[in-house]
Each structure stands twice: as C-alpha cells, then as structure tokens.
C-alpha cells in the first residue's frame, strides 16, 4: 500500500496506460512541459516524449477533434480539458461526433477516447472554473460518464476508462485532488468501471453522492451516528450507466433516500435517480426522496461558494425532514 493523493494516483494510472499500450496518447493544453495545471500529467512528456504527450493550442474543439481523428486511426487518446467551464467549445465535437460514430456506422467504428475534465467547485476559483457539466454528458447516448471520488478509484478507473472501447467522459473532483489515501498500486481494479460502492453501511437512510460530495456525505454520516442515526453512503462512481441495482437494494433496506450533488437541482442527476427510486422502490419508501444540491444559479463568486455547495448541515436537515415524515 502506498499513500498517494488523487493527483498522484491519476498520474500513476496514466503512466501505466502509456507503458502498457503504445497506442495511448495524451493531448491537451499544457499537459506536456508544464505537466498540467494540476500536475496530473507531470513528467509524462519527459518520460514518453512529445509524440505521446502532446501540448495543444488553446482550442478545446481542436483538442477533441484531433483526438477523434486519432481514435479513427487506431489510437487511444486521452484528452485533458483544463477546467470544466472550458469544455463547452468542444461540446459539439463530443456529443455530435464522438458520441454518435459507433451508432452511425452500425458498430463498425468505435471511438476509444477518454476526456478528462477537472470538475466542480470548492477551490476558490474565478468564473468558468467551477462548473458541474455532468448532466449534459450523461444525457447523451453513446457516452460513458464516470466520476471517481478518491485516490484508489482515480488510479483504477482512469486505466479502465482508457482501455474502454467507447468514449468516456472522466470527471475529476478538483476539490479532492490533494486528498490522500493508501492505495495498492499493484492490485487489479476491485470493481467494474460502472459499479457503485457502498462506502458506509447504514440502516436509517441511504445517501447517494459522487465526486467531491462523497466526502461531504461521509462527514454527515459521522455526525448522524453521534445523534443515533445510521446513514448508508453510496459512492455512485458512474453516472452513465448508473448502477441502479446497488441503489435499489440499499433503498429497500433503509426506506429513505437523500441524493447529494453540487450541480444545480433542476434537471440534475438527482432528478433521474429520484425518479428511478420512486418508480422501482415506491412501496419501500417511508418518506419522499430528498435532493441536496447546488442552487439553480450560475456558479457564484469564490467568496460565496461556501453557501452554494452542499455541506453536512444541509444533508442532516434533509435527513431530519425525512425522519419526521
């Protein structure tokens, strides 16, 4: 076991992918000489060369478009979008071309592209640097969307994403980049790419979260435990497809469901999860499903983001409402 941050885990996973397959290439703004703004690709260009780790112009549509062409020629490109709010110039390439090629060619052509996107808030960044675009991509047929929350999943899931024959939008919780944990860097992935994980068993309510909000949900569960309430926390890990089987089994045990994400509530991931739970687990629910999310506003200035992002108090307030129902 090795103590590593999420940044180091992702870097190690990318290094293993480059070592194991000569068709893997990395491209993006400042990914080479600088090693990425968060240093996720640190030293990879030095060790694998400028033809494998490629510094691209400041043009996200060009980065993804180039990756698409490389994929059609047999490569496995890994794109880095520097910040979540910068992905929108490449949105057309991702949802109109990359996501559709397999269907359009009746399965004859695939696009094994991994699109890495540092995502979410909590770092005091300026405008366009703290977006939560996951619902846009999860809505798009043909894309897989995953969101690790910790170093172990970062290490394993980035390699699984690169090895996948379908395009994967790989969201990274930038707020947790410097969190550290013990990781077995020699172990095989403990779960398939799209399986959820119960990270804390409980009996009184299920709390579903992903990305940076998993740590927040666990904080709420610790406080609830002191108050005599036992929360089961599920790390969703994958947003498309969603592991509804794990979700349903948990909700049937606890009878209550709280969904936490920092994206706005309206038409967010929580809406789909709540609708599914209401449809499949209606007679098991003891109270209406609650969503604890960011507000339906543009992301606020850094000095106000603490009021925008869900915290343990808001999760516990939702729990109190459910227990009183």
């Amino acid at each position: 076991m090795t103590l590593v941050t999420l940044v180091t885990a992702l870097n190690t996973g990318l290094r293993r992918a480059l070592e194991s397959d000569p068709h893997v290439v990395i491209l993006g703004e400042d990914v080479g000489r600088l090693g990425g703004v968060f240093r996720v690709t640190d030293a990879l260009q030095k060790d694998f060369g400028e033809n494998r780790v490629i510094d691209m112009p400041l043009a996200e549509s060009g980065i993804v478009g180039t990756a698409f062409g490389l994929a059609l020629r047999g490569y496995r490109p890994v794109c880095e979008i520097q910040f979540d709010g910068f992905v929108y110039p490449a949105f057309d390439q991702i949802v109109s071309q990359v996501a559709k090629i397999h269907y359009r060619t009746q399965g004859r052509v695939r696009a094994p592209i991994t699109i890495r996107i540092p995502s979410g808030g909590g770092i005091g960044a300026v405008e366009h640097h703290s977006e939560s675009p996951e619902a846009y991509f999860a809505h798009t047929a043909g894309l897989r969307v995953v969101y690790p929350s910790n170093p172990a999943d970062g290490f394993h899931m980035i390699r699984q994403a690169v090895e996948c024959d379908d395009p994967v939008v790989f969201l990274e919780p930038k707020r947790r980049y410097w969190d550290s944990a013990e990781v077995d860097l020699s172990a095989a992935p403990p779960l398939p790419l799209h399986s959820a994980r119960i990270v804390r068993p409980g009996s009184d309510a299920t709390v579903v979260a992903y990305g940076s909000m998993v740590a927040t949900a666990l904080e709420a569960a610790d406080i609830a435990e002191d108050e005599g309430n036992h929360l089961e926390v599920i790390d969703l890990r994958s947003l498309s497809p969603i592991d509804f089987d794990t979700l349903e089994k948990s909700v049937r045990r606890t009878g209550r469901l709280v969904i936490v994400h920092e994206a706005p509530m309206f038409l967010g991931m929580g809406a789909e999860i709540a609708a599914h739970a209401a449809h499949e687990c209606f007679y098991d629910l003891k109270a209406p499903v609650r969503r604890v999310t960011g507000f339906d506003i543009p992301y606020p200035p850094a000095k106000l983001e603490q009021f925008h992002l869900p915290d343990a108090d808001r999760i516990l307030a939702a729990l109190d409402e459910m227990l009183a129902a």
Side-chain angles (χ1 to χ4, degrees), residues 115-167:
I115 302 169
R116 293 182 42 245
I117 308 175
S119 189
I123 63 169
V126 297
E127 189 178 19
H128 305 311
H129 290 67
S130 301
E131 303 290 311
S132 295
E134 60 265 26
Y136 295 129
F137 298 115
H139 180 74
T140 303
L143 295 177
R144 298 174 184 259
V145 184
V146 299
Y147 207 153
S149 68
N150 58 75
D153 279 344
F155 170 69
H156 292 297
M157 291 172 70
I158 190 64
R159 295 186 65 191
Q160 290 171 308
V162 174
E163 293 169 0
C164 181
D165 287 333
D166 295 323

Side-chain angles (χ1 to χ4, degrees), residues 1-2 12 16 152 155-156 159 182-190:
M1 303 292 285
T2 306
T12 305
R16 299 279 177 86
F155 170 69
H156 292 297
R159 295 186 65 191
E182 296 280 350
V183 179
D184 186 349
L185 299 176
S186 63

